[in-house]
Amino acid sequence: MSLFDHKVSELHELLHKKEISATDLVDASYKRIAEVDDKVKAFLTLDEEHARQVAKEIDGKLGTDEQKGQLFGMPIGVKDNLVTKGLRTTCASQILDNFDPIYDATVVSKLKEAEAITIGKLNMDEFAMGSSNENSSYSATRNPWNIETVPGGSSGGSAAAVAAGEVLFSLGSDTGGSIRQPASFCGVVGLKPTYGRVSRFGLVAFASSLDQVGPITRTVEDNAYLLQAISGVDPMDSTSANVSVPNFAQGLTGDVKGLKIAVPKEYLGEGVQEDVKQSVLASLKVLEKLGATWEEVSLPHSKYALAAYYLLSSSEASANLARFDGVRYGYRTENPESLIDLYKKSRSEGFGDEVKRRIMLGTFALSSGYYDAYYKKAQKVRTLIKQDFENVFEKYDVIIGPTTPTPAFKIGEKTKDPLTMYANDILTIPVNLAGVPGISVPCGFSEGLPLGLQIIGKHFDESTVYRVAHAFEQATDFHKQKPEL
Amino acid sequence: MSRITIDEVKHVANLARLAITEEEAEQFQHQLDAIISFAEELNELDTDHVEPTSHVLDMNNVLREDEATKGLPQEEVLKNAPDSQDGYIKVPSIMD
């Protein structure tokens, strides 16, 4: 049994009793990384010396009355699009290969305050653009359940590292499903918080109106602890919301009696694999037994979400990624002929294919003559999608469906055609467009590969999402199964 | 007929400050055409009386006190610059 089979609450008890030390936890993390990361390729950069130093400081506090952070001693991995002061941050892009951040993202500062220990930085699709981690410019992360398959993306490293037992938990980011889809593929718990719940300061921006940072964990309880530590309004991010942060873990009562669940027919329709549907229906039976009721509903504009998302996210990306110009930081081409030449060559040599494709699409959609037809049209469709959710939430507490239409696919299977790859996110994208919270929890297996149940809540109602996810988790044992590596 | 011409692809690449080869221009033409034609399914929806959403939360004009805070030290800011001199970031000359 690994130390990381324990929850935060159990590990804290072991630490308090001095049965283990923070150094033991850090040791366990680096030992496991040494054993399996050649295969999994979840980490891009390790921070071993510093992690050991922090662990030592924390161990000095054990058995004393000194105030301890809410995650003290817990080893965490951080997605490589969150800037970490003095620790290389690449976004898995060659354009940031040598980037050494000069400040911490707010979520990283909060982890330090909570006394979690950062083990290293996690692999991802370049600039979070992708659904398989195959767009990393370093190496494609593998799914610990079957290393011939993808871990999902773009937070593939974050999900794979947790599933492989390399860290206790991790942070990812989710723009169109990038936390929930890899969590589903890797059999772990991943939450995209409500837009505005968590500060985006220091998250390298992809699509600013959609991006959110969120936790990936083995259990729902740990997910709640980690979200607690990173939530809250931040003066450095004016889109972070000034709303109170409830005690998420306290709400995990196991009680879902009288809960009203909506199941959109569009989420069990065409393109969703048969055993994925069956696992969702079986999950609904579990919740029914616990006293919840469910009804079929419609989110009629779901089929338009994918197109609206690609126009909006690529447009925002084309603006956000304009900052990578070879001037102030990042890669600069050798011997440019002029300033414009420096911009063009640095960007062309530094960015990978998918990133260029999205910058091109976004620039086109925002360009004169096309703005109204594409960008503005997509913004209007976004309103319709948001209204779909508002209508359903007038009568129901949560929306439930699969996280993804299929389990993890084979490496190389979908890289030829961008649209096939994009279609993987049809069930997660509407949640980002509406800005509501969504979680993926393990709910079954398909030929040895994990499946995820997606539970979607109202704005800022992560508490209900967690309560349902936790009740389901306690009634099943999918989360207890581990991959063999 | 492609929805986007090779010349338009090259124009967009210039706007995006990307240098692309003829081969890449052709590839982008095919891929962008496929994505744009897929996006045109949005035209099935009548959105004449729908307001656009740019931000999901009901907030605007987020203000704060105008207080001076410490900035980043110059040497830190220049640390990641590919080329610098006398406290400035250096680029190729833009005037002859």
Side-chain angles (χ1 to χ4, degrees):
Chain A
M1 185 161 165
S2 148
L3 281 174
F4 303 147
D5 293 337
H6 293 287
K7 297 183 291 187
V8 172
S9 53
E10 294 164 350
L11 290 173
H12 274 170
E13 204 180 315
L14 293 172
L15 281 169
H16 285 306
K17 287 192 202 150
K18 287 195 157 188
E19 284 179 28
I20 60 165
S21 65
T23 301
D24 292 337
L25 289 165
V26 168
D27 279 342
S29 195
Y30 288 112
K31 183 164 169 266
R32 184 68 176 160
I33 290 169
E35 280 166 9
V36 301
D37 211 57
D38 269 355
K39 272 194 251 175
V40 180
K41 299 177 169 50
F43 279 91
L44 290 176
T45 307
L46 296 176
D47 197 20
E48 187 161 353
E49 202 182 315
H50 183 247
R52 289 188 182 285
Q53 190 195 320
V54 175
K56 221 171 154 183
E57 285 161 23
I58 286 170
D59 285 336
K61 280 184 164 189
L62 286 178
T64 72
D65 293 338
E66 243 181 293
Q67 181 97 26
K68 295 172 188 75
Q70 54 194 129
L71 297 175
F72 85 103
M74 300 296 109
I76 190 164
V78 175
K79 189 175 180 180
D80 210 26
N81 59 351
L82 288 161
V83 297
T84 41
K85 189 175 180 180
L87 180 62
R88 177 178 174 243
T89 299
T90 67
C91 293
S93 180
Q94 291 304 308
I95 212 161
L96 286 176
D97 184 53
N98 58 2
F99 183 58
D100 182 11
I102 56 178
Y103 61 88
D104 278 324
T106 295
V107 291
V108 172
S109 309
K110 281 177 176 272
L111 288 179
K112 285 184 178 168
E113 245 169 74
E115 293 182 283
I117 306 175
T118 298
I119 295 298
K121 302 298 291 289
L122 291 160
N123 205 354
M124 54 186 282
D125 286 294
E126 185 178 358
F127 285 106
M129 296 175 187
S131 312
S132 69
N133 255 54
E134 290 163 293
N135 294 337
S136 165
S137 79
Y138 295 99
S139 57
T141 303
R142 304 300 178 111
N143 190 321
W145 289 89
N146 176 348
I147 58 166
E148 300 303 314
T149 64
V150 303
S154 66
S155 310
S158 301
V162 174
E166 294 175 291
V167 279
L168 179 66
F169 45 32
S170 66
L171 289 185
S173 69
D174 191 316
T175 305
S178 282
I179 288 174
R180 291 159 288 154
Q181 185 253 21
S184 169
F185 280 10
C186 293
V188 292
V189 181
L191 176 100
K192 183 204 86 77
T194 307
Y195 184 84
R197 173 66 87 190
V198 178
S199 168
R200 293 184 297 107
F201 179 70
L203 167 68
V204 179
F206 162 12
S208 308
S209 79
L210 301 160
D211 298 341
Q212 267 292 287
V213 180
I216 297 179
T217 57
R218 287 266 188 89
T219 64
V220 175
E221 184 182 300
D222 282 3
N223 208 281
Y225 278 125
L226 187 46
L227 181 65
Q228 195 81 45
I230 61 170
S231 291
V233 66
D234 176 13
M236 300 303 276
D237 173 7
S238 59
T239 63
S240 63
N242 195 2
V243 294
S244 64
V245 181
N247 186 324
F248 296 117
Q250 218 166 50
L252 305 177
T253 58
D255 182 8
V256 292
K257 275 194 201 76
L259 182 95
K260 290 191 202 126
I261 301 168
V263 180
K265 62 179 184 206
E266 293 81 5
Y267 284 31
L268 294 172
E270 209 185 321
V272 180
Q273 198 172 296
E274 190 53 36
D275 54 0
V276 172
K277 283 183 207 172
Q278 292 310 322
S279 82
V280 170
L281 294 172
S283 304
L284 290 166
K285 284 219 174 81
V286 171
L287 290 166
E288 258 180 345
K289 265 197 186 155
L290 296 171
T293 55
W294 68 273
E295 281 177 330
E296 191 176 275
V297 299
S298 176
L299 294 170
H301 298 96
S302 296
K303 71 175 267 212
Y304 301 102
L306 190 60
Y309 171 83
Y310 273 92
L311 290 171
L312 294 174
S313 64
S314 301
S315 296
E316 293 187 27
S318 74
N320 275 325
L321 272 63
R323 74 193 62 187
F324 301 102
D325 55 6
V327 175
R328 290 152 300 155
Y329 42 74
Y331 171 80
R332 179 184 286 195
T333 190
E334 309 261 332
N335 308 316
E337 286 163 19
S338 64
L339 184 61
I340 299 287
D341 191 51
L342 180 151
Y343 296 150
K344 286 188 176 176
K345 284 193 180 140
S346 300
R347 289 164 64 77
S348 301
E349 291 161 16
F351 289 138
D353 287 345
E354 182 62 26
V355 174
K356 287 184 203 172
R357 190 151 46 236
R358 299 209 198 181
I359 290 174
M360 289 287 288
L361 174 64
T363 307
F364 172 77
L366 291 175
S367 66
S368 169
Y370 296 102
Y371 181 91
D372 283 350
Y374 296 109
Y375 181 69
K376 203 165 179 191
K377 181 80 186 181
Q379 283 191 313
K380 289 180 167 190
V381 173
R382 184 175 186 181
T383 304
L384 297 174
I385 289 163
K386 191 174 164 237
Q387 285 168 354
D388 280 356
F389 280 91
E390 285 163 359
N391 291 339
V392 168
F393 280 133
E394 274 178 22
K395 280 205 217 151
Y396 300 89
D397 301 306
V398 290
I399 295 171
I400 288 185
T403 307
T404 58
T406 68
F409 45 89
K410 286 221 162 66
I411 289 178
E413 192 182 315
K414 298 191 178 184
T415 44
K416 284 202 186 77
D417 176 14
L419 281 172
T420 317
M421 185 68 90
Y422 298 171
N424 206 10
D425 298 331
I426 48 170
L427 304 173
T428 46
I429 277 172
V431 173
N432 298 77
L433 290 172
V436 292
I439 199 169
S440 179
V441 284
C443 73
F445 289 88
S446 168
E447 295 176 15
L449 291 169
L451 301 173
L453 186 72
Q454 185 174 210
I455 304 166
I456 303 163
K458 299 171 188 174
H459 278 138
F460 297 109
D461 193 16
E462 286 87 355
S463 294
T464 302
V465 171
Y466 275 142
R467 181 160 55 88
V468 180
H470 176 254
F472 176 77
E473 178 191 72
Q474 296 307 301
T476 55
D477 65 358
F478 303 114
H479 66 290
K480 289 185 183 151
Q481 306 194 34
K482 290 194 300 176
E484 274 174 44
L485 267 165
Chain B
M1 243 296 272
S2 179
R3 281 164 180 77
I4 177 165
T5 65
I6 284 279
D7 283 345
E8 279 177 308
V9 170
K10 288 179 182 169
H11 171 64
V12 170
N14 180 49
L15 291 175
R17 296 289 185 246
L18 289 170
I20 58 169
T21 61
E22 286 296 325
E23 202 183 318
E24 284 173 319
E26 265 179 48
Q27 203 188 355
F28 278 131
Q29 186 190 19
H30 292 305
Q31 290 172 338
L32 292 178
D33 181 54
I35 298 169
I36 293 161
S37 79
F38 168 66
E40 281 177 358
E41 74 173 31
L42 298 184
N43 294 333
E44 293 168 15
L45 294 170
D46 177 3
T47 54
D48 284 352
H49 303 289
V50 179
E51 287 296 313
T53 295
S54 56
H55 188 81
V56 287
L57 299 181
D58 186 22
M59 48 174 169
N60 45 58
N61 296 339
V62 179
L63 302 176
R64 60 171 169 76
E65 291 303 312
D66 184 20
E67 283 164 359
T69 55
K70 227 174 161 195
L72 292 161
Q74 192 182 53
E75 64 185 73
E76 287 277 286
V77 172
L78 293 174
K79 191 168 76 172
N80 282 287
D83 198 4
S84 64
Q85 188 183 322
D86 305 331
Y88 292 91
I89 290 166
K90 204 172 164 188
V91 293
S93 70
I94 53 165
M95 281 181 285
D96 291 326

